[in-house]
Amino acid sequence: MERLRNIVILTGAGVSAESGIDTFRSAGGLWEQHRVEDVATPEGFARDPDLVLGFYDMRRAAVQQAEPNEAHHALARLDAAWDGDILLVTQNIDDLHERAGVADVLHMHGEHLNAWCTACGTRSRWTGPLITRPPCPACGESALRPDVVWFGEMPYQMERIYAALADCDLFVSIGTSGAVYPAAGFVREAKANGALTLELNLEPSQGSHWFDETRLGPASELVPDWVSEMLGE
Ligand code: APR
């Protein structure tokens, strides 16, 4: 794979589905169980903080019971063996990529295992509940919220993502529906910069027509096969 040196990989909820973590938009998914406006907007948080804190407390506890699957492990293998640049951008707020061994994961939508103090701005590693209004470890104020990017808020590290998209030879999207921007626009950005584009997903996404190639199936099968291909195994 001479020509392909720099890779940007985007993952979504589908990569963690086989670890038992609900996706958002599939049948019975999170957005069928909860109203987005209530649990994933700053307005919803202002309206009913207990509802929102309880929602993320439940998910934070569930993530800590989950284990990385074959897709996470394969991406960690590629990350360790690939001699070009790899940027792994995830929309997921779980830590399964890190637990599989990827050191530098860019969480563009935040992280479950961080609490963000709205009084002093400090982000603290957090594994327990927030609904009990614990004090911020830095300033002592009871002003912690989940470190999650809600609808209407700006995703993290966008400059770093666009710089990598401008410089990549290959853009790969894994387990995402392509329903949410700006992530859903990355394929076009990469393509416009001359990169090859590949989608690995259980079913066609809303952006499938932008990809040079789409492979359909479970991530736990597609990703290890693709990684073996990339490593010439
Ligand atoms: N293997 C591969 N793909 C899968 C699997 C699997 N085992 N299971 C589901 N998928 C695919 C689905 O076909 C779907 O296209 O993963 C995608 C999941 O889509 P969504 O539930 O919409 O999740 P995602 O794309 O990550 O959502 C984007 O929306 O709600 C917000 O902030 C939230 O980060 C999230 C963003």
Side-chain angles (χ1 to χ4, degrees), residues 206-220:
Q206 294 182 20
S208 284
H209 55 287
W210 293 108
F211 287 87
D212 297 307
E213 183 186 355
T214 291
R215 300 179 190 176
L216 300 179
S220 64

Side-chain angles (χ1 to χ4, degrees), residues 12-15 17-18 23-26 31 91-92 109 149 151 175-180 200-205 217-220:
V15 84
E18 294 164 84
T23 64
F24 296 92
R25 292 172 186 81
S26 42
W31 295 152
Q91 298 169 87
N92 299 344
H109 291 165
V149 177
F151 287 93
T176 183
S177 59
V180 174
L200 307 176
N201 215 49
L202 195 61
E203 59 204 340
S205 71
S220 64

Side-chain angles (χ1 to χ4, degrees), residues 45-229:
F45 185 55
R47 223 177 14 250
D48 189 345
D50 277 357
L51 178 73
V52 174
L53 295 173
F55 173 69
Y56 288 98
D57 283 355
M58 175 208 48
R59 295 180 62 205
R60 189 177 309 107
V63 157
Q64 295 174 78
Q65 302 305 316
E67 292 299 330
N69 63 56
E70 288 312 314
H72 298 106
H73 290 298
L75 291 173
R77 206 154 56 80
L78 180 68
D79 186 57
W82 188 252
D83 58 6
D85 290 345
I86 291 187
L87 179 65
L88 177 55
V89 180
T90 189
Q91 298 169 87
N92 299 344
I93 56 180
D94 64 53
D95 64 337
L96 298 181
H97 284 304
E98 287 91 340
R99 279 201 267 145
V102 180
D104 181 14
V105 180
L106 194 162
H107 285 269
M108 69 179 290
H109 291 165
E111 298 179 61
H112 268 312
L113 301 183
N114 271 353
W116 180 17
C117 179
T118 55
C120 72
T122 302
R123 285 175 169 81
S124 311
R125 211 71 193 144
W126 205 268
T127 56
L130 288 176
I131 199 163
T132 51
R133 306 297 194 285
C136 166
C139 73
E141 289 287 327
S142 291
L144 297 175
R145 60 162 270 186
D147 182 21
V148 173
V149 177
W150 288 325
F151 287 93
E153 296 183 324
M154 197 58 197
Y156 298 156
Q157 303 190 58
M158 291 306 295
E159 274 174 39
R160 188 175 163 212
I161 297 172
Y162 282 119
L165 289 170
D167 190 38
C168 72
D169 306 304
L170 175 63
F171 173 75
V172 184
S173 173
I174 305 171
T176 183
S177 59
V180 174
Y181 284 77
F186 293 168
V187 57
R188 295 169 72 181
E189 189 77 19
K191 217 175 167 65
N193 296 312
L196 288 177
T197 55
L198 170 66
E199 177 181 51
L200 307 176
N201 215 49
L202 195 61
E203 59 204 340
S205 71
Q206 294 182 20
S208 284
H209 55 287
W210 293 108
F211 287 87
D212 297 307
E213 183 186 355
T214 291
R215 300 179 190 176
L216 300 179
S220 64
E221 292 171 20
L222 293 180
V223 179
D225 290 350
W226 171 66
V227 167
S228 296
E229 223 178 275

